């Protein structure tokens, strides 16, 4: 049995942390701390993690590890869900056991398939010149998990973790302080999975916390080869700036307000359905989703007024959900106040709920297009939680002008009436929105991300660090944690397996002046 000082995992062992500073889980439904202490490590621990980082088993063992890990998570789903519920306030049954845990194990298995197939490597061979290239592992990847997904984005179980392992890297993981007990339970299962598949230890070092200064120092260590981050824009950009000083690739999901554009014709045709869809989407998990539709663009009309009134009625009728931690509560309140102070009209909510839990009243604000255009930066603040902003525009042309001022976002939704798709304004709206988002949706809300190879869970800055980013979807998510290596006239025995002539089905090849892929037969 570990005591409070044995909760970091370095070099294949649980070991005492170099620290005198600890924290505990906090129940967001009561505000009370509970459970064991977790260490806020001194630099000595981070340095030890760097010393052990880098080694990783071969592709087949990585695949076996991920698959066995998925099995163990499923076998322990009930207990894991209960732990996560206590730490986050989110429901064990509906949210974790039946939704997020299955998504997590699905991701692990998809990543395992990539490790085994090596499709992510994009092997390319010019047979005439004997020049070959492919994507290969980088080394140690530093991963920061967020507060809002204790499984699907966990630093030792989520999509970034699975992608880094599938690419053949090792991981240095930093647990999120909102769910350390969940992370500890997952890490124990990962260690068991490694032992079950014949590995002495998983290629993972786990730390439960460190200071911001040490985090920035870690990000600029030359022993870190890439960084995966999901969290606040301020924290992510600070890490990115530190990583940039040594040229380390930073793959960060930073913030997104996920604009929804609704035409008057769409409201006239499907008012009630759109109201229900929007309220359900914006309040899902108390608004603590990276795909939460936090801003809505509408043209002024009677239908628009009715839509906003209907949303406000449902907001007032609905009990406010529980926010993940006190920081979320303070951040939401601060940004609502900033948007209000900039001139937005408060329609409902806007204050903390009377409760010992971390609750904030369901909040809606509105602003005109002219006010939005004058202060677009402030009105695009991410009010992360159960809050939204309506931008009511004087005309369709005014709405297009407002949309052109949007920053980059993960998602954008466009609601049109039946038969409106060919209208000139619909085409322009679609084109303008397309430039601002990584995923464009028609007639549906953006919450919910399918784990499929066609998915882009990324977008233009500042939604992410760059436009080639996706945190979801294999093999693209795996390719983030690779580097392009080229082999020019290199002897066969020194080539990676995927580039050898006796492994013909996975590479693009130059044949008779044209690029072909043996297994597919297509041209490139």
């Amino acid at each position: 049995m570990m005591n409070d000082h044995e909760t970091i995992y370095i070099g294949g062992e649980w070991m005492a942390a170099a620290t005198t500073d600890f924290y505990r889980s906090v129940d967001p439904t009561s505000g009370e701390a509970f459970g064991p202490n977790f260490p806020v490590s001194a630099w000595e621990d981070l340095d030890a993690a760097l010393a052990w980082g880098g080694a990783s088993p071969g592709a087949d063992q990585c695949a076996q590890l991920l698959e066995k890990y998925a099995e163990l998570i499923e076998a322990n789903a009930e207990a894991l869900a209960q732990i996560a519920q206590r730490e986050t306030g989110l429901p064990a049954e509906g949210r974790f056991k039946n939704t997020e845990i299955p998504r997590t194990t699905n991701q692990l298995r998809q990543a395992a398939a990539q490790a085994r197939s090596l499709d992510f490597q994009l092997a390319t061979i010019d047979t005439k010149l004997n020049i070959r290239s492919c994507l290969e592992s980088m080394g140690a990847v530093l991963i920061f998990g967020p507060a809002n997904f204790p499984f699907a984005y966990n630093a030792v179980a989520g999509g970034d973790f699975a992608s880094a392992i599938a690419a053949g890297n090792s991981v240095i993981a930093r647990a999120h302080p909102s769910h350390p007990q969940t992370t500890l339970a997952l890490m124990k299962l990962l260690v068991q999975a490694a032992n079950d598949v014949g590995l002495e230890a998983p290629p993972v070092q786990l730390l439960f916390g460190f200071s911001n200064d040490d985090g920035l120092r870690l990000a600029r260590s030359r022993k870190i080869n890439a960084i995966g981050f999901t969290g606040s824009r301020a924290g992510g950009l600070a890490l990115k700036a530190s990583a940039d000083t040594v040229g380390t690739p930073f793959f960060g999901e930073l913030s997104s307000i996920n604009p929804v554009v609704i035409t008057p014709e769409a409201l006239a045709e499907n008012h009630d359905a759109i109201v229900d869809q929007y309220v359900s989407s914006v309040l899902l998990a108390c608004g603590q989703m990276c795909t939460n539709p936090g801003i809505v663009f509408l043209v002024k009309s009677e239908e628009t007024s009715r839509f906003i009134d209907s949303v406000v009625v449902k907001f007032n009728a609905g009990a406010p959900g529980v926010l993940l931690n006190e920081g979320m509560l303070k951040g939401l309140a601060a940004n609502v106040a900033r948007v209000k102070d900039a001139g937005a009209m408060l329609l409902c909510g806007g204050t903390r709920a009377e409760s010992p839990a971390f609750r904030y009243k369901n909040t809606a604000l509105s602003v005109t297009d002219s006010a939005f255009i004058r202060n677009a930066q402030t009105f695009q603040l991410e009010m992360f939680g159960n809050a939204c902003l309506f931008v009511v525009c004087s005309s369709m042309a005014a709405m297009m002008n407002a949309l052109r001022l949007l920053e980059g976002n993960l998602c954008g939704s466009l609601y049109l009436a039946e038969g409106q798709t060919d209208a000139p304004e619909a085409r322009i709206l679609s084109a303008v929105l397309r430039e601002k988002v990584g995923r464009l949706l028609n007639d549906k809300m953006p919450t919910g991300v399918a784990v499929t190879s066609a998915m882009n869970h990324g977008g233009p800055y500042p939604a992410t660090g760059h436009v080639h980013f996706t945190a979801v979807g294999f093999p693209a998510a795996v390719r983030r944690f690779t580097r392009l290596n080229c082999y020019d006239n290199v002897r066969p025995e020194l080539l990676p397996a995927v580039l050898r002539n006796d492994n013909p089905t996975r590479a693009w090849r130059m044949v008779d002046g044209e690029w072909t892929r043996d297994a597919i037969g297509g041209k490139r």
Side-chain angles (χ1 to χ4, degrees), residues 2-253:
M2 293 181 296
N3 61 41
D4 292 346
H5 299 272
E6 297 175 335
T7 49
I8 62 172
Y9 189 83
I10 304 290
E13 296 181 358
W14 295 101
M15 59 182 291
T19 186
T20 57
D21 188 12
F22 297 88
Y23 70 93
R24 300 169 70 197
S25 301
V26 175
D27 184 342
T29 65
S30 66
E32 296 179 355
F34 69 97
N37 289 332
F38 289 89
V40 179
S41 287
W43 177 255
E44 181 181 338
D45 291 341
L46 283 65
D47 198 34
L50 289 170
W52 281 97
S56 179
D60 189 60
Q61 279 196 303
C62 283
Q64 292 180 44
L65 173 64
L66 293 170
E67 289 166 345
K68 175 55 69 173
Y69 190 21
E71 289 179 18
L72 291 176
I73 290 174
E74 287 173 342
N76 292 273
E78 182 73 39
L80 289 168
Q82 292 296 328
I83 296 170
Q85 176 176 285
R86 181 80 190 279
E87 289 191 304
T88 66
L90 297 169
E93 194 71 19
R95 167 62 186 266
F96 294 132
K97 186 178 177 182
N98 298 324
T99 302
E100 191 178 336
I101 289 177
R103 171 182 167 174
T104 303
T105 55
N106 178 28
Q107 290 174 166
L108 291 169
R109 290 191 172 100
Q110 289 195 36
Q114 284 298 312
R116 192 167 276 122
S117 72
L118 303 181
D119 282 347
F120 71 90
Q121 289 193 279
L122 293 178
T124 306
I125 300 172
D126 186 323
T127 52
K128 183 177 180 180
L129 297 178
N130 194 20
I131 298 175
R132 304 156 192 254
S133 66
C134 67
L135 299 174
E136 295 185 274
S137 61
M138 307 175 77
V141 175
L142 173 61
I143 294 179
F144 293 82
N148 58 338
F149 280 89
F151 297 103
Y153 281 81
N154 195 289
V156 297
D160 284 356
F161 162 84
S163 297
I165 295 296
N169 303 294
S170 66
V171 166
I172 296 175
R174 188 267 198 182
H176 197 282
S178 285
H179 40 73
Q181 294 185 52
T182 305
T183 302
L184 176 61
L186 286 167
M187 188 66 200
K188 290 178 179 179
L189 294 178
L190 180 60
V191 172
Q192 181 182 337
N195 293 335
D196 288 350
V197 300
L199 295 173
E200 291 186 6
V204 178
Q205 324 303 320
L206 173 61
L207 300 159
F208 280 89
F210 40 75
S211 70
N212 289 341
D213 287 344
D214 280 345
L216 297 177
R217 182 179 175 185
L218 186 62
R220 62 179 177 265
S221 168
R222 295 187 183 276
K223 294 180 180 179
I224 295 295
N225 300 98
I227 300 173
F229 172 88
T230 305
S232 72
R233 185 189 301 191
L237 291 183
L239 285 168
K240 183 180 186 301
S242 191
D244 284 346
T245 63
V246 291
T248 299
F250 175 86
F251 300 100
E253 183 185 324

Side-chain angles (χ1 to χ4, degrees), residues 264-287:
E265 294 83 357
L267 280 180
E269 189 173 272
N270 291 305
H271 172 272
D272 292 348
I274 297 174
V275 169
D276 288 343
Q277 289 172 29
Y278 184 70
V279 171
S280 296
S281 181
V282 78
L283 297 184
L284 179 65
C286 199

Side-chain angles (χ1 to χ4, degrees), residues 132 136 486-487 489-497 499-500:
R132 304 156 192 254
E136 295 185 274
C486 182
Y487 297 84
N489 202 42
V490 172
R491 298 181 183 183
E493 56 270 27
L494 299 180
L495 291 170
L499 293 181
R500 294 174 188 164

